[in-house]
Amino acid sequence: MQRMGTKCVQAGYTPKNGEPRQIPIVQSTTYKYDSSDDMAKLFDLEAEGYFYSRIQNPTSDSVAAKICALEGGTAAMLTGSGMSAVFLALFNIVSCGDHILSCATIYGGSFNLMSVTMKRMGVECTFISPDSTEEEIRAAIRPNTKLVYGETIANPALCVLDIEKWARVAHEAGVPLIIDNTFATPINCRPFEWGADIVIHSTTKYMDGHASVLGGAIVDSGKFDWNKYADKYPGLTTPDESYHGVIYTEHFGIEGAFINKAICQLMRDFGCTPSPMNSFLLNLGLESLHVRVKRHCENALAVAQFLETHEKVSWVNYASLPGNKYYELAQKYLPNGSCGVVSFGVKGGREAASRFMAELRVASIATHVADAHTCVLHPAGSTHRQMTDEELVAAGVGADMVRFSVGLEDVNDIIEDLAQALDKC
């Protein structure tokens, strides 16, 4: 069994004698075959291969296989963005008249997708606290609930989800638990080991790590038995007439049904495909993921420790900080570190937070997190500004919250930058 560092560098692609050591960039939309019969076998899913890069591409598949190995899954796919990964993972098993149960503290874009866009598609969503008891989770699940959704570490509230508890209740109801593992990455947490069924990533963040390429990934644990709940998931367990009557669970087994349906059906129809070049650049980021994540966490902990003693900081939220509300859960699920993002409040509220951010010199104001550069954002005024005051409270996003994504710079320079900016606000 290879360790994580080796998987980051080598998993997903094994060159044969005389082949390129690095994953080749297959920059082609189409693929040539000698006969129509050869092509027909691909369309009938009777043979493996490629016919159009909107659906699958060898470069992207190699990188998806690496992420699959890192998460310990059975099948995976890449998408053009993190948001498209969220949408495809959800829409793969819900349709008009269905219901989603989600944590309220999820990323603002995911919240809007479920509460607004998918509502227009006839899908209802209920949002509850990630700290809900098992009884409260059970009470929120309906007969038409098709999945339960949460984030390992919420963006930007930084709540740590009790994955084992949520998975237990979801499975009692016969539905899968889908987890966004973007902030933790598989370096710090592998949700499948705690009962999650599907994992999503915005690879744009730590996996790329350099704010260079948009991307997303979906990984299947291969453990949820769709056939056991065939009436709930007919899209996986009955013939797909749009794809030659294939029954995904029969053709690919429970280990591959979910991902292959998302590729054959949804990627075909929605086309949210990553470019081969973007997949290649993502792989370069993955090769150093295990090294970078450790440094991000070390820097973030030092920043959190500095902030909690500063007189102009009203509160600090970082799960790896002793005394934090989620410290015990972090020790269970994230013993090697949580992430590189710290949330805190500046005394004086929204105006003081804005003055503070304007004075920063090392950290830049940017709608991004989890890359090599330290960056800062005011969520209530940006990523979550579409929410009502009540929704902001439920999401754990106060008007004074500053989201500080600690980069890979020398931590002493980062702390000195924080100190001088706080002194001026």
Side-chain angles (χ1 to χ4, degrees):
M1 177 72 71
Q2 289 183 336
R3 294 168 176 82
M4 293 295 282
T6 304
K7 290 180 181 179
C8 283
V9 177
Q10 295 196 7
Y13 171 71
T14 303
K16 298 182 177 65
N17 187 50
E19 291 186 341
R21 192 179 74 165
Q22 184 55 276
I23 293 174
I25 305 169
V26 182
Q27 192 67 50
S28 181
T29 61
T30 52
Y31 306 82
K32 181 261 182 188
Y33 287 90
D34 292 335
S35 72
S36 295
D37 287 342
D38 290 337
M39 183 71 78
K41 290 177 182 177
L42 294 173
F43 276 90
D44 287 342
L45 303 177
E46 293 176 357
E48 293 185 2
Y50 300 90
F51 51 86
Y52 199 55
S53 282
R54 186 184 77 238
I55 299 174
Q56 284 184 285
N57 170 276
T59 305
S60 297
D61 281 359
S62 293
V63 183
K66 175 174 285 189
I67 296 172
C68 188
L70 291 173
E71 284 288 4
T74 58
M77 63 187 290
L78 298 188
T79 62
S81 69
M83 281 308 308
S84 58
V86 176
F87 174 68
L88 293 191
L90 301 181
F91 199 62
N92 205 31
I93 50 176
V94 301
S95 58
C96 183
D98 289 338
H99 174 254
I100 294 170
L101 175 61
S102 173
C103 293
T105 52
I106 58 173
Y107 167 61
S110 301
F111 182 93
N112 195 72
L113 170 69
M114 296 182 208
S115 64
V116 178
T117 303
M118 295 191 76
K119 184 177 180 180
R120 292 172 54 203
M121 303 167 78
V123 177
E124 289 187 273
C125 188
T126 300
F127 298 94
I128 63 174
S129 168
D131 304 329
S132 296
T133 64
E134 291 192 20
E135 291 72 23
E136 289 169 333
I137 300 170
R138 287 190 190 96
I141 293 177
R142 306 176 184 175
N144 62 335
T145 301
K146 292 297 179 68
L147 63 94
V148 175
Y149 184 89
E151 296 175 349
T152 308
I153 304 172
N155 176 16
L158 301 183
C159 308
V160 176
L161 191 70
D162 190 342
I163 300 171
E164 206 168 28
K165 176 178 71 176
W166 282 73
R168 183 166 53 249
V169 179
H171 295 160
E172 286 175 5
V175 300
L177 174 63
I178 299 182
I179 292 289
D180 184 330
N181 198 36
T182 297
F183 267 24
T185 82
I187 302 302
N188 284 346
C189 182
R190 303 214 305 175
F192 294 154
E193 295 175 357
W194 301 101
D197 300 292
I198 309 292
V199 160
I200 300 168
H201 285 277
S202 171
T203 62
T204 313
K205 308 305 191 297
Y206 287 119
M207 286 189 165
D208 164 41
H210 301 86
S212 298
V213 290
L214 293 171
I218 309 171
V219 188
D220 186 3
S221 69
K223 295 178 180 177
F224 190 84
D225 189 350
W226 308 103
N227 289 319
K228 185 177 179 180
Y229 308 101
D231 291 343
K232 281 187 177 181
Y233 304 103
L236 288 158
T237 59
T238 61
D240 178 3
E241 299 305 333
S242 76
Y243 218 103
H244 318 296
V246 64
I247 300 174
Y248 292 101
T249 51
E250 287 187 4
H251 197 89
F252 299 103
I254 62 170
E255 298 83 5
F258 184 90
I259 293 297
N260 280 282
K261 177 179 181 292
I263 292 170
C264 295
Q265 193 181 87
L266 301 187
M267 192 63 86
R268 174 198 66 194
D269 293 347
F270 290 101
C272 39
T273 314
S275 74
M277 187 67 201
N278 278 12
S279 297
F280 175 83
L281 292 173
L282 167 60
N283 184 64
L284 295 184
L286 288 168
E287 289 183 350
S288 63
L289 182 66
H290 59 300
V291 179
R292 291 184 292 101
V293 166
K294 182 179 179 181
R295 176 65 176 268
H296 279 293
C297 292
E298 290 172 350
N299 281 2
L301 181 58
V303 164
Q305 290 169 338
F306 164 78
L307 289 170
E308 72 171 347
T309 63
H310 200 285
E311 61 180 8
K312 291 190 177 180
V313 174
S314 53
W315 56 271
V316 180
N317 186 16
Y318 187 64
S320 296
L321 200 63
N324 183 272
K325 176 181 179 180
Y326 296 100
Y327 181 76
E328 294 303 323
L329 280 177
Q331 293 307 295
K332 175 180 177 178
Y333 294 112
L334 306 150
N336 298 319
S338 53
C339 66
V341 181
V342 179
S343 292
F344 62 97
V346 178
K347 290 181 180 178
R350 185 187 294 259
E351 291 184 7
S354 295
R355 290 197 302 272
F356 157 76
M357 290 168 60
E359 294 294 340
L360 290 167
R361 297 294 176 262
V362 174
S364 58
I365 299 173
T367 311
H368 204 248
V369 285
D371 66 66
H373 296 76
T374 295
C375 50
V376 63
L377 195 71
H378 183 243
S382 54
T383 55
H384 289 65
R385 69 180 298 121
Q386 80 276 8
M387 291 184 175
T388 65
D389 289 344
E390 293 75 16
E391 288 171 339
L392 285 171
V393 170
V397 179
D400 64 338
M401 175 188 279
V402 173
R403 185 184 71 181
F404 197 77
S405 179
V406 186
L408 300 179
E409 303 92 346
D410 189 297
V411 72
N412 295 298
D413 290 328
I414 299 171
I415 290 173
E416 287 174 7
D417 189 38
L418 284 165
Q420 65 84 22
L422 285 167
D423 287 343
K424 295 175 182 176
C425 71

